[in-house]
Amino acid sequence: MKISELVLKLDIPRLDEVYYPLDDSYLYIDYLETQDFTRTINELFIKSIPIHILDLGCGTGILGFCTVYKILTLKFATQVDLSYVDINPIAIETVKSFVDKNFHLFEELEDFSENSIDIHYYISDLFSDVPSTRFDLVVFNPPYLPNDEEIHENQIIDQALYGGSEGVSVSIDFFNQISPYLYPHSNIYFIASSLGGLNTMVPKLSPNFKITLLQSLHIFFEDILLFHARPKIF
């Protein structure tokens, strides 16, 4: 089953306190069908078994779920370790429900077994409560909108939307903390917005990470951007 078909079958919980998949989510999900992503997974399979995946700021959990599904359908790897992380406890409970409701889609895959997937859940502000481990692939859809002067992050959902005055402070903190959790071959996929301070963020990341723009989506007054990052220095 293609990822586009999988998405139509997913039972995705909708709660006011948890970020529901929107265009930014599907920008990454669409990328999973590209030959570029297939080549990346092939390289990871050569280097790492099982493949360790981190979905940080996971919201409903759809990005990690679709990533694992795609990897298993490619049959480069038969074992995947998936960690879900979110600062919002309600999001983590939502992810557990999402996985329970949709796990049968994994079980329908050819050659799937009880050892194919190991899933972990962590309530954590970025990496503060994530156990020390290394990940082959990291997916991060951060809060990337600049704070409006009238927004004071009083609602839980605001944590998933607003990333400081320029919209990039959470992403910068993420990259400042992530190196101990990476291999030299690790791949990071993250979302940003043309409304955010890319001219502030990219120069801060460039000394330690090779940053590549993979895809973009123009919506009204904004471009949503999917980036890939690889570590330069270890």
Side-chain angles (χ1 to χ4, degrees):
M1 184 178 0
K2 292 183 177 180
I3 295 297
S4 57
E5 298 169 327
L6 170 71
V7 167
L8 296 177
K9 292 178 177 290
L10 291 175
D11 185 346
I12 307 173
R14 186 186 288 269
L15 290 83
D16 291 341
E17 301 89 349
V18 178
Y19 188 76
Y20 192 79
L22 294 172
D23 292 309
D24 50 4
S25 309
Y26 292 107
L27 181 63
Y28 170 77
I29 290 170
D30 289 344
Y31 177 76
L32 296 176
E33 295 283 28
T34 65
Q35 287 299 313
D36 188 43
F37 184 78
T38 298
R39 284 191 294 270
T40 297
I41 298 306
N42 189 25
E43 292 172 2
L44 291 182
F45 170 67
I46 293 171
K47 296 180 173 70
S48 182
I49 295 292
I51 293 176
H52 288 79
I53 298 170
L54 170 64
D55 183 352
L56 197 150
C58 56
T60 62
I62 188 173
L63 300 189
F65 191 97
C66 290
T67 302
V68 170
Y69 189 92
K70 180 62 178 180
I71 289 172
L72 293 178
T73 58
L74 289 172
K75 297 186 178 181
F76 291 140
T78 57
Q79 291 179 280
V80 179
D81 186 287
L82 172 62
S83 292
Y84 280 120
V85 176
D86 204 290
I87 191 174
N88 181 359
I90 300 174
I92 292 300
E93 292 306 311
T94 301
V95 174
K96 292 177 181 178
S97 174
F98 169 75
V99 171
D100 287 343
K101 289 179 179 179
N102 296 286
F103 198 82
H104 66 94
L105 296 167
F106 287 135
E107 295 174 328
E108 294 169 6
L109 290 172
E110 185 179 2
D111 300 326
F112 183 85
S113 74
E114 61 180 14
N115 297 320
S116 295
I117 307 176
D118 196 8
I119 303 179
H120 316 276
Y121 306 90
Y122 304 104
I123 301 169
S124 178
D125 183 357
L126 295 177
F127 294 95
S128 61
D129 292 297
V130 178
S132 179
T133 188
R134 295 185 188 272
F135 298 98
D136 301 287
L137 190 153
V138 180
V139 185
F140 185 40
N141 188 1
Y144 55 70
L145 294 176
N147 282 46
D148 187 278
E149 291 181 0
E150 298 181 0
I151 298 295
H152 301 290
E153 299 187 10
N154 291 325
Q155 300 183 37
I156 293 176
I157 190 61
D158 291 339
Q159 297 176 108
L161 302 176
Y162 300 103
S165 61
E166 292 189 84
V168 295
S169 60
V170 177
S171 294
I172 291 172
D173 288 344
F174 164 83
F175 277 98
N176 285 340
Q177 297 176 29
I178 196 174
S179 290
Y181 295 86
L182 299 178
Y183 295 107
H185 64 258
S186 294
N187 294 266
I188 304 166
Y189 297 94
F190 69 101
I191 302 290
S193 167
S194 60
L195 299 179
L198 295 177
N199 291 334
T200 298
M201 179 176 69
V202 174
K204 289 180 180 291
L205 308 186
S206 295
N208 297 318
F209 297 91
K210 179 182 178 182
I211 308 294
T212 305
L213 175 61
L214 297 176
Q215 294 185 162
S216 64
L217 178 65
H218 183 72
I219 301 176
F220 299 111
F221 50 84
E222 175 188 20
D223 289 322
I224 301 173
L225 310 168
L226 173 64
F227 286 96
H228 175 263
R230 289 284 295 266
K232 284 183 179 178
I233 302 171
F234 268 83

